[in-house]
Amino acid sequence: MDKQNVQMNAPHPGTNLTGEYPLEYPSAAFPGPPGYIGCPGPQAGYPVPPADYASPGPAGFPVQHQPVTSHPGEPTQVSWMPAPLPPLNCPPGLEYLTQIDQLLIHQQMELLEVLTGFETRNKYEIKNSLGQRVYFASEDTDCCTRNCWGPSRPFTMRILDNMGRGVITLERPLRCACCCCPCCLQEIEIQAPPGVPVGYVTQTWHPCLPKFTVQNERREDVLRISGPCVACSCCADVHFEVKSLDDKYVVGKISKHWTGLVRELFTDADNFGIQFPLDLDVKMKAVMLGACFLIDFMFFEMIK
């Protein structure tokens, strides 16, 4: 009987705790360590986000910017990479790139495109090396552009973070697709946040090799990208090396991964990997992401 009374009078977990059991988490009023001033405000030099950059939560809930678990047209219950604290002078949304040195890009397979050959909007999952989703990319083009111009089509690629907010926009204009013509070569502009250019990737003319130049927002050359003479993934990966301007040092790599015979023959859903130094400027990491999409459309977005 005494044992039952002791169990009934025992405190429930998390209530009426004595001094011997301190709370595991501080209260909401915890001021933080000395010198803590809270989350940093908007970074200087970047425009104020538009009114629809983040919508408030439901009525009665003061906390906003809650992560979404999925975007329209994609699977539910997706594991997203936790958002780190943004460092100084980092464009909004690029703070994810400060903690990673590798990105994996998986193009989603569209059933309608497989069955009919009708070109649909490309969609991509962008993940880190742990398989956590960092961004979600979706092509923004009309039906006529996709099916008339094919892989050479101009496009706008919108890249969203785990809040569903646009953090990177890629703009590819319509350019000449013939390698024999040294003018009007391929180019892509990278904006982060959307509307603010942070870099460009321009094709460098060469009679045999695919070559590109990575430029910053001031159109100054920063890096070079060089690919194989035959950019064909036949039972093997295809690597595009990212080098210094003098071609002496390899600082990164963009790889097109072999996905299997059936998928390679009957679909254009490709997998890519991007490797870069951990301490590389986040803007250049975003530009290398744009270079990967340009390479995909130029060499691997084939009409099946």
Side-chain angles (χ1 to χ4, degrees), residues 244-289:
S244 58
L245 291 178
D246 55 8
D247 289 334
K248 291 184 178 180
Y249 305 100
V250 178
V251 300
K253 183 168 57 176
I254 299 175
S255 302
K256 195 274 182 187
H257 296 158
W258 172 258
T259 57
L261 183 62
V262 174
R263 183 163 179 167
E264 293 285 345
L265 286 178
F266 297 102
T267 75
D268 57 4
D270 301 314
N271 293 340
F272 286 85
I274 307 176
Q275 298 177 15
F276 38 65
L278 183 63
D279 58 351
L280 183 67
D281 184 9
V282 292
K283 296 179 182 179
M284 288 299 101
K285 292 182 180 181
V287 174
M288 288 184 62
L289 180 60

Side-chain angles (χ1 to χ4, degrees), residues 193-270:
V196 181
V198 296
Y200 305 84
V201 179
T202 61
Q203 182 184 8
T204 303
W205 185 83
H206 192 278
C208 300
L209 299 177
K211 289 182 175 291
F212 303 88
T213 301
V214 177
Q215 300 176 329
N216 59 17
E217 64 272 20
R218 296 181 297 274
R219 290 281 188 174
E220 299 170 344
D221 295 351
V222 179
L223 297 169
R224 300 193 188 280
I225 301 176
S226 178
C229 180
V230 180
C232 176
S233 58
C234 182
C235 301
D237 295 347
V238 180
H239 303 292
F240 291 76
E241 292 184 334
V242 182
K243 300 180 179 180
S244 58
L245 291 178
D246 55 8
D247 289 334
K248 291 184 178 180
Y249 305 100
V250 178
V251 300
K253 183 168 57 176
I254 299 175
S255 302
K256 195 274 182 187
H257 296 158
W258 172 258
T259 57
L261 183 62
V262 174
R263 183 163 179 167
E264 293 285 345
L265 286 178
F266 297 102
T267 75
D268 57 4
D270 301 314

Side-chain angles (χ1 to χ4, degrees), residues 42-49 88-92 192-193 196 198 283:
Q43 300 293 332
Y46 295 102
V48 178
L88 294 176
N89 301 322
C90 177
V196 181
V198 296
K283 296 179 182 179

Side-chain angles (χ1 to χ4, degrees), residues 87-109:
L88 294 176
N89 301 322
C90 177
L94 298 191
E95 60 269 14
Y96 297 90
L97 301 179
T98 61
Q99 298 185 349
I100 56 179
D101 59 0
Q102 182 179 6
L103 286 173
L104 304 175
I105 297 94
H106 302 301
Q107 184 176 352
Q108 293 185 348
M109 191 182 305

Side-chain angles (χ1 to χ4, degrees), residues 34-181:
Y36 180 76
I37 58 174
C39 297
Q43 300 293 332
Y46 295 102
V48 178
D52 59 349
Y53 186 72
S55 58
F61 290 85
V63 180
Q64 300 183 13
H65 313 314
Q66 295 298 325
V68 297
T69 57
S70 62
H71 294 293
E74 63 176 277
T76 59
Q77 302 301 325
V78 175
S79 174
W80 286 85
M81 176 181 174
L85 291 176
L88 294 176
N89 301 322
C90 177
L94 298 191
E95 60 269 14
Y96 297 90
L97 301 179
T98 61
Q99 298 185 349
I100 56 179
D101 59 0
Q102 182 179 6
L103 286 173
L104 304 175
I105 297 94
H106 302 301
Q107 184 176 352
Q108 293 185 348
M109 191 182 305
E110 300 291 340
L111 182 60
L112 177 63
E113 186 172 339
V114 174
L115 296 178
T116 65
F118 187 82
E119 187 69 34
T120 59
R121 292 189 181 97
N122 287 358
K123 298 177 182 178
Y124 304 83
E125 295 177 295
I126 304 172
K127 301 181 179 180
N128 58 17
S129 57
L130 300 178
Q132 297 173 323
R133 185 178 295 179
V134 183
Y135 299 117
F136 181 80
S138 179
E139 178 187 357
D140 185 6
T141 54
D142 57 71
C143 176
C144 180
T145 300
R146 291 193 304 272
N147 290 276
C148 291
W149 292 104
S152 302
R153 63 185 180 269
F155 65 79
T156 298
M157 190 73 66
R158 306 192 186 279
I159 301 178
L160 313 177
D161 66 358
N162 63 350
M163 308 291 182
R165 302 172 301 193
V167 296
I168 303 174
T169 297
L170 310 178
E171 295 282 355
R172 181 201 187 189
L174 181 62
R175 294 294 177 88
C176 179
C178 179
C179 63
C180 299
C181 182

